[in-house]
């Protein structure tokens, strides 16, 4: 169990969310096989509609009661005793599919009503028929005891966003936000930018033979006997390539019944994310892509934290399509596979703990692939075009959580500043802080005590305090002193070692006494 403080826009704690890691339970939970209609099937029923409404359930999971036997399976331990949930909880593998099934069965027989994952769309060719259909839906929801989130409901609109598209009386268009990262990608400014952009072109060229000819003016810039000059032919080629990549020839429609994967990458400049699906012929096709700049605080994250941020932001960006389905996550940062996969939540660094908690509502497998295969996410992360949404308080949320975890570390508040001061004076800790910011060199370049930290480099983070996972890295000048503190309880060798393992790490072992 991990308590997560919820804060308002001013940073004040207004509530506490209890998060439970159900990774072990999910290994034995059977998921329901419920067929969700494909995007093309849903959109095919919308032509002729002119008036639309979209409804959003208010914490839909928590409106579903659990059976007595299921309640016991959600039991978690607190310092005050054992507790169990009486309502459906995020983080359980079968939760989303069951919630979708209940909603679909409740409304499936109504004409002019579409249920896609947890969205309800009501549509009609005129206002009177729309109002009648909306009234019937609301009556059924009321009889079922279901409540709605007023802030997220849209009533009687002429244009509305649904399943990644903008639907209106004028027709159906792809949501421009889902392809903005590629459409607004800035033009290359040097040879490295050209290579990255052409890497994207190569990814799409298997679906569009036109791209080879369209990219010729830009490819000429890579020739050694050519001087770098970006003129009208290159600009025209650049814009035509983007239009072709965003066409129906290259992009696929989302189908919830196809194998799905999310690929993400992060740099000091931004985050890049892509949603792919395996088509009937076996090839992977891009469905949506996105990018955004990182904040100044996020740019100072350790590389492992930025990559975890990238994965979390990617899943949240495509959440409407991912919730309720099993999908894959691909990352080129190998330590993330265990940190966001099988490792216990309380063994993770504070920021990554928060990312993992945020990912609990998804049902995914994460795997490592070489960086050279993440062509599109890598290019998008180095040329981000999206700005950070004011409604997305992810940075503040993560920082608040990290500060909370640090404040709960088993160390006296008056002693913590001394540890922080000694860390920035210790030559080994100084190097570790540098590696957290700029990335780790190869192992042969390390010497002395730094080699002992290399196997755990994916767990070492710095947030005004150097940590390995949730444990403080003790600088050499304080190790014997800290060892004396641990021995003060006279608990015996075994218990002293366990106490040390839970709170501190000095090199890769405590000094012998």
């Amino acid at each position: 169990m991990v308590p997560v403080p919820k804060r308002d826009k001013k940073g004040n704690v207004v509530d506490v969310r209890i998060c439970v890691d159900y990774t072990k339970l999910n290994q034995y939970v059977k998921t329901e096989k419920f067929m969700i209609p494909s995007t093309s099937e849903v959109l095919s029923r919308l032509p002729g509609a002119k008036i639309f409404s979209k409804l959003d359930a208010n914490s839909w999971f928590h409106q579903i009661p659990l059976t007595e036997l299921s309640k016991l399976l959600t039991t978690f331990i607190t310092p005050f005793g054992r507790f169990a949930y009486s309502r459906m909880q995020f983080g359980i593998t079968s939760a989303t599919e069951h919630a979708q099934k209940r909603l679909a069965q409740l409304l499936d027989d109504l004409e002019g009503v579409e249920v896609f994952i947890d969205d309800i769309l009501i549509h009609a060719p005129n206002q009177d028929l729309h109002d009648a259909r909306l009234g019937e839906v609301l009556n059924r929801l009321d009889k079922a005891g279901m409540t709605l989130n007023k802030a997220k409901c849209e009533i009687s609109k002429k244009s509305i966003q649904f399943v990644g598209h903008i639907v209106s009386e004028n027709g159906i268009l792809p949501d421009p936000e889902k392809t903005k990262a590629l459409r607004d990608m800035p033009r290359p400014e040097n040879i490295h930018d050209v290579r990255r952009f052409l890497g994207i072109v190569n990814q799409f060229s298997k679906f569009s033979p036109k791209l080879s000819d369209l990219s010729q003016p830009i490819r000429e810039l890579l020739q050694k006997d050519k001087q770098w000059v970006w003129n009208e032919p290159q600009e025209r080629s650049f814009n035509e390539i983007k239009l072709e990549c965003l066409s129906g020839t290259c992009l696929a429609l989302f189908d919830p019944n196809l194998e799905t994967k999310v690929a993400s990458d992060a740099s000091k400049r931004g985050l890049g994310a892509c949603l792919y699906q395996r088509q009937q012929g076996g090839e992977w096709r891009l469905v949506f892509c996105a990018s955004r700049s990182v904040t100044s605080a996020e740019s100072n994250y350790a590389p492992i934290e930025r990559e975890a941020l990238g994965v979390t932001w990617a899943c949240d960006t495509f959440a409407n399509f991912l919730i309720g389905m099993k999908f894959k996550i691909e990352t080129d940062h190998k330590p993330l596979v265990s940190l966001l996969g099988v490792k216990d939540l309380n063994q993770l660094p504070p920021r990554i703990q928060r990312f993992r908690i945020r990912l609990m509502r998804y049902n995914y497998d994460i795997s490592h692939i070489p960086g050279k295969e993440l062509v599109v996410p890598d290019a998008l992360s180095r040329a981000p075009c999206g700005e950070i949404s004011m409604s997305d308080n992810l940075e503040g949320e993560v920082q608040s959580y990290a500060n909370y975890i640090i404040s709960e570390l088993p160390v006296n508040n008056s002693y913590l500043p001394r540890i922080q001061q000694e860390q920035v004076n210790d030559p080994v800790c100084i190097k570790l802080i540098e590696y957290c910011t700029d990335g780790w060199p190869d192992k042969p370049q390390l010497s002395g005590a730094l080699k002992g930290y290399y196997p755990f480099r994916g767990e070492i983070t710095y947030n005004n305090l150097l940590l390995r996972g949730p444990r403080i890295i003790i600088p050499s000048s304080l190790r014997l002193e800290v060892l004396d503190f641990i021995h003060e309880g006279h608990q015996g060798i075994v218990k002293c070692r366990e106490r040390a393992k839970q709170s501190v790490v000095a090199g890769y072992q405590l000094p012998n006494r």
Side-chain angles (χ1 to χ4, degrees):
M1 182 204 77
V2 179
V4 180
K6 294 178 67 176
R7 300 176 183 269
D8 58 21
K9 293 182 179 179
K10 296 181 180 179
N12 301 315
V13 177
V14 295
D15 199 0
V16 175
R17 180 190 295 123
I18 301 299
C19 296
V20 181
D21 187 1
Y22 288 117
T23 304
K24 302 292 185 184
L25 173 64
N26 286 336
Q27 294 175 5
Y28 304 97
V29 173
K30 291 184 178 180
T31 58
E32 299 190 39
K33 299 299 181 184
F34 180 68
M35 293 295 290
I36 302 171
S38 67
T39 303
S40 56
E41 182 183 344
V42 172
L43 295 178
S44 69
R45 296 194 285 265
L46 299 183
K50 296 182 179 180
I51 309 296
F52 307 88
S53 289
K54 186 167 67 172
L55 305 179
D56 183 81
N58 184 30
S59 301
W60 176 219
F61 278 23
H62 293 164
Q63 297 187 47
I64 302 174
L66 296 176
T67 64
E68 291 301 319
L69 181 58
S70 295
K71 289 179 184 179
L72 297 177
L73 297 176
T74 68
T75 302
F76 57 95
I77 300 172
T78 77
F80 317 104
R82 296 182 180 182
F83 293 84
Y85 282 99
S86 58
R87 301 272 172 165
M88 187 74 82
Q89 175 66 3
F90 269 118
I92 299 175
T93 302
S94 61
T96 307
E97 285 180 291
H98 181 74
Q100 294 164 4
K101 180 180 177 180
R102 286 176 68 115
L103 195 55
Q105 289 177 338
L106 182 65
L107 303 172
D108 256 1
D109 62 317
L110 296 180
E111 188 177 353
V113 179
E114 311 299 337
V115 177
F116 189 82
I117 306 185
D118 58 353
D119 283 335
I120 306 170
L121 180 72
I122 299 97
H123 57 91
N126 58 65
Q127 190 70 53
D128 291 341
L129 185 55
H130 165 272
D131 294 349
R133 290 173 174 176
L134 176 61
E136 178 61 29
V137 170
L138 293 175
N139 284 334
R140 289 202 182 185
L141 296 181
D142 183 48
K143 289 179 181 178
M146 179 176 170
T147 60
L148 300 174
N149 185 341
K150 182 180 178 181
K152 293 186 178 181
C153 292
E154 300 179 59
I155 306 296
S156 193
K157 302 289 184 180
K158 292 186 177 181
S159 175
I160 208 163
Q161 192 277 340
F162 190 64
V163 293
H165 291 73
I166 303 297
V167 296
S168 70
E169 60 179 324
N170 298 320
I172 302 168
L173 296 172
D175 186 352
E177 287 299 313
K178 299 302 181 185
T179 52
K180 180 181 178 181
L182 194 54
R183 187 182 66 250
D184 295 347
M185 188 177 185
R187 68 172 62 90
E189 296 182 354
N190 51 52
I191 293 295
H192 295 294
D193 290 349
V194 167
R195 288 197 176 103
R196 277 194 291 269
F197 180 71
L198 291 178
I200 295 178
V201 174
N202 290 337
Q203 291 282 306
F204 285 111
S205 60
K206 66 185 75 172
F207 308 118
S208 173
K210 294 168 60 177
L211 287 175
S212 179
D213 292 334
L214 289 176
S215 62
Q216 187 56 37
I218 296 179
R219 292 185 187 278
E220 290 176 356
L221 296 175
L222 298 179
Q223 297 177 12
K224 293 182 179 180
D225 58 344
K226 293 282 187 179
Q227 187 177 1
W228 170 269
V229 179
W230 187 273
N231 282 328
E232 196 274 336
Q234 285 77 26
E235 184 69 18
R236 184 172 61 251
S237 170
F238 180 64
N239 291 325
E240 288 176 350
I241 287 171
K242 290 197 292 183
L243 287 174
E244 179 65 16
C245 289
L246 295 172
S247 70
T249 305
C250 294
L251 292 183
L253 274 178
F254 179 78
D255 185 339
N257 301 306
L258 294 180
E259 187 178 353
T260 303
K261 71 179 180 182
V262 172
S264 69
D265 204 7
S267 71
K268 279 206 164 188
R269 294 181 61 187
L271 310 175
C274 292
L275 179 68
Y276 295 95
Q277 289 196 301
R278 190 192 292 274
Q279 305 303 305
Q280 299 295 340
E283 76 280 6
W284 287 97
R285 296 279 295 275
L286 179 67
V287 180
F288 296 121
C289 59
S291 70
R292 77 157 170 88
S293 302
V294 295
T295 66
S296 58
E298 290 169 345
S299 68
N300 290 323
Y301 283 5
I304 186 75
E305 293 174 320
R306 276 201 304 274
E307 295 290 344
L309 167 66
V311 169
T312 306
W313 178 78
C315 291
D316 284 351
T317 298
F318 305 131
N320 287 343
F321 306 96
L322 298 176
I323 289 178
M325 69 184 309
K326 184 72 175 284
F327 63 96
K328 298 177 181 178
I329 294 175
E330 291 184 343
T331 176
D332 61 355
H333 215 71
K334 200 167 187 177
L336 272 189
V337 175
S338 61
L339 293 179
L340 297 183
V342 297
K343 202 152 193 176
D344 289 342
L345 191 63
N346 59 4
Q347 294 300 309
L348 306 182
R351 287 189 181 116
I352 296 180
Q353 269 192 38
R354 188 64 191 96
F355 294 137
R356 174 83 170 272
I357 290 171
R358 189 137 170 166
L359 290 169
M360 281 182 179
R361 59 178 173 155
Y362 303 107
N363 182 12
Y364 64 87
D365 289 325
I366 184 169
S367 61
H368 170 261
I369 66 169
K372 63 183 180 182
E373 295 183 22
L374 285 179
V375 177
V376 181
D378 175 71
L380 294 176
S381 73
R382 297 177 189 277
C385 65
E387 297 300 324
I388 300 162
S389 170
M390 294 300 291
S391 62
D392 183 6
N393 190 34
L394 182 56
E395 179 196 331
E397 179 184 310
V398 170
Q399 191 57 48
S400 296
Y401 181 80
N403 292 340
Y404 169 76
I405 293 297
I406 291 174
S407 70
E408 294 298 308
L409 289 172
V411 58
N412 190 293
N413 288 337
S414 62
Y415 195 69
L416 190 61
R418 186 176 171 198
I419 294 176
Q420 292 172 311
Q421 184 60 46
E422 290 298 321
Q423 282 183 342
V424 297
N425 291 329
D426 183 88
V428 172
C429 290
I430 290 172
K431 278 294 183 183
L432 293 177
I433 294 171
E434 178 187 325
Y435 297 156
C436 283
T437 305
D438 301 329
W440 281 73
D442 294 332
K443 188 173 181 179
Q445 296 177 255
L446 299 175
S447 60
L450 290 170
K451 286 187 176 180
Y453 290 95
Y454 189 80
F456 316 109
R457 62 195 182 283
E459 304 172 39
I460 298 174
T461 58
Y462 181 70
N463 181 26
N464 295 321
L465 184 68
L466 197 58
L467 301 172
R468 177 193 159 193
R471 296 184 290 164
I472 303 172
I473 294 180
I474 303 298
S476 58
S477 59
L478 296 179
R479 289 177 190 172
L480 293 179
E481 192 173 318
V482 169
L483 195 59
D484 286 336
F485 289 150
I486 293 172
H487 284 161
E488 279 181 355
H490 301 291
Q491 298 175 318
I493 294 176
V494 174
K495 288 190 176 181
C496 281
R497 283 179 176 171
E498 288 303 313
R499 187 181 177 191
K501 286 179 181 179
Q502 292 173 6
S503 55
V504 300
V505 56
Y508 33 100
Q509 61 181 10
L510 282 167
N512 294 322
R513 293 298 300 267

